Amino acid sequence: MKSAVNVSAREAQIPATMRAVVFTGPSAFALQEVPTPRAGPREALVRVRASMVCASDAKILAGKFPATRFPHVPGHEFAGDVVTSADERFPAGSRVCVEVHVGCGTCERCREGMYTLCLNYGKRETGHAHVGFTIDGGLADYAAVPIAALHKLPEHVTFDQGAWTDNLGVALWAIERGRLAAGEHVVVIGPGAIGLCATQLARALGAGRVTLVGRGKRLARVRDMADEVVDAADVARLHGTADLVVEFAGTADAARDAIALARRGGRVVLGGATGAGVELSGVDLSTIVRGNLDVLGSLANPKGVSGRALELLAQGKIDVTSLVTHHFPLERFEEAWRTFTERRDGAIRVMLHPQAAA
Ligand SMILES: [Zn+2]
Ligand SMILES: [Zn+2]
């Protein structure tokens, strides 16, 4: 009985309403006062401490995710502490972070551990959830998060670092798809947040030389994260040299470069073009066939890979702190959004702090 009393005491402290970023319709958003969500039986209510915006949020806002219904609370890269939960593995006060794909658990893909490819995508009644995409997310004071999406934050990992859990899993999955072997020459194309996670993970996992390919101001800013940085315009000199190429730029040009950069017998992992409508032309098929290349697609972070990435974060092998170029309280969401989407001041990632004073 004692625990029931404690739970209701905690619930009494949860305000009836909270602030949330609401995508009210395509290309329209506002910071609104909305009812605080209640945690369902297989969910925890999380007080959000650190929450980032990402290019996927811009796609959602533009109406490019048919499974997202407006009005929608975005946010899928976040960490916080549990306020209420019926699951004893995550009692109130637990510091947690989130990976965003929750499968139904029973379809063929889920049974293979590929819950990122769940055959019941978008059907909440089956147990499927894509946090911040098909259900409300963490750009708010509180979020109701499926237990299956939660990870405990290791002791020395901060909320700000923990918000990278999903991203790190996405980057690590791409490198594992590419079967990185110690000492190999790795080229990463795309100096955005995920590309920079992949660059650091390749180093942490024992790559030989790591080359980062990209454009613009960002490249100068992140020079130290790779052994060399090369402007995409000068990439021809590296053609045919890489053991493993990992692409997180999302353009057809980048995919063509990725295939051209691999040595014969090498591996190419394409992870950037996750939205429909980007076509690849201008590739000589003999480059792939006579080159005996493995050209692989990589989507998201299945098979618990984010939990393993979190271990590397806890060991201090990945620096995500310097990838957060701007911090804002939740009240200044609009400014944060513009800073990110317009890449003001070379912005890589912006972070919102709902519990901070304005
Ligand atoms: Zn994201
Ligand atoms: Zn499933």
Side-chain angles (χ1 to χ4, degrees), residues 103-111 114-115 117-121 126 128:
C104 73
T106 59
C107 76
E108 289 171 42
R109 295 293 88 74
C110 281
R111 287 174 183 218
M114 298 297 293
Y115 44 85
L117 304 177
C118 178
L119 297 171
N120 287 310
Y121 187 95
T126 68
H128 177 274

Side-chain angles (χ1 to χ4, degrees), residues 29 333-344 347 350:
F29 65 82
F333 175 76
E334 183 162 356
E335 187 184 347
W337 182 257
R338 307 269 174 238
T339 300
F340 177 71
T341 55
E342 295 166 16
R343 292 194 189 176
R344 290 180 188 170
V350 306

Side-chain angles (χ1 to χ4, degrees), residues 116-148:
T116 46
L117 304 177
C118 178
L119 297 171
N120 287 310
Y121 187 95
K123 296 178 186 161
R124 189 76 190 97
E125 67 281 8
T126 68
H128 177 274
H130 191 183
V131 180
F133 292 77
T134 64
I135 67 169
D136 284 348
L139 280 165
D141 286 322
Y142 296 89
V145 183
I147 296 291

Side-chain angles (χ1 to χ4, degrees), residues 17-273:
T17 62
M18 65 166 193
R19 299 164 310 161
V21 174
V22 181
F23 288 176
T24 51
S27 306
F29 65 82
L31 190 66
Q32 292 183 352
E33 198 71 19
V34 302
T36 305
R38 297 187 72 90
R42 280 180 288 278
E43 294 177 339
L45 186 68
V46 174
R47 182 190 291 114
V48 181
R49 301 283 184 177
S51 190
M52 296 190 288
V53 292
C54 145
S56 298
D57 295 315
K59 288 183 194 164
I60 292 172
L61 184 62
K64 290 180 182 168
F65 275 94
T68 304
R69 292 189 195 90
F70 298 111
H72 174 69
V73 177
H76 58 273
E77 300 174 0
F78 62 99
D81 49 275
V82 172
V83 183
T84 60
S85 123
D87 191 301
E88 59 191 19
R89 291 167 294 178
F90 294 95
S94 303
R95 300 165 69 252
V96 292
C97 50
V98 175
E99 68 171 284
V100 301
H101 284 275
V102 177
C104 73
T106 59
C107 76
E108 289 171 42
R109 295 293 88 74
C110 281
R111 287 174 183 218
E112 294 164 348
M114 298 297 293
Y115 44 85
T116 46
L117 304 177
C118 178
L119 297 171
N120 287 310
Y121 187 95
K123 296 178 186 161
R124 189 76 190 97
E125 67 281 8
T126 68
H128 177 274
H130 191 183
V131 180
F133 292 77
T134 64
I135 67 169
D136 284 348
L139 280 165
D141 286 322
Y142 296 89
V145 183
I147 296 291
L150 293 178
H151 290 269
K152 276 215 172 114
L153 270 183
E155 195 177 350
H156 299 296
V157 176
T158 64
F159 291 121
D160 285 22
Q161 292 172 313
W164 286 83
T165 300
D166 196 75
N167 288 332
L168 285 169
V170 173
L172 183 55
W173 182 246
I175 288 177
E176 293 187 354
R177 290 278 284 152
R179 305 189 312 280
L180 171 66
E184 287 191 323
H185 178 211
V186 178
V187 175
V188 177
I189 304 179
I194 311 277
L196 292 169
C197 288
T199 302
Q200 295 187 65
L201 284 164
R203 270 185 158 180
L205 296 176
R209 193 153 54 96
V210 180
T211 304
L212 178 62
V213 174
R215 295 177 201 280
K217 268 192 218 159
R218 264 187 189 179
L219 206 54
R221 179 169 220 156
V222 298
R223 184 167 295 270
D224 293 343
M225 291 191 177
D227 297 300
E228 62 174 343
V229 294
V230 173
D231 193 282
D234 305 326
V235 88
R237 68 180 171 84
L238 292 173
H239 279 180
T241 65
D243 298 303
L244 169 62
V245 186
V246 176
E247 175 275 322
F248 276 115
T251 64
D253 279 343
R256 269 189 296 272
D257 282 344
I259 292 166
L261 283 163
R263 63 158 169 87
R264 293 185 79 198
R267 289 96 60 207
V268 177
V269 180
L270 304 177

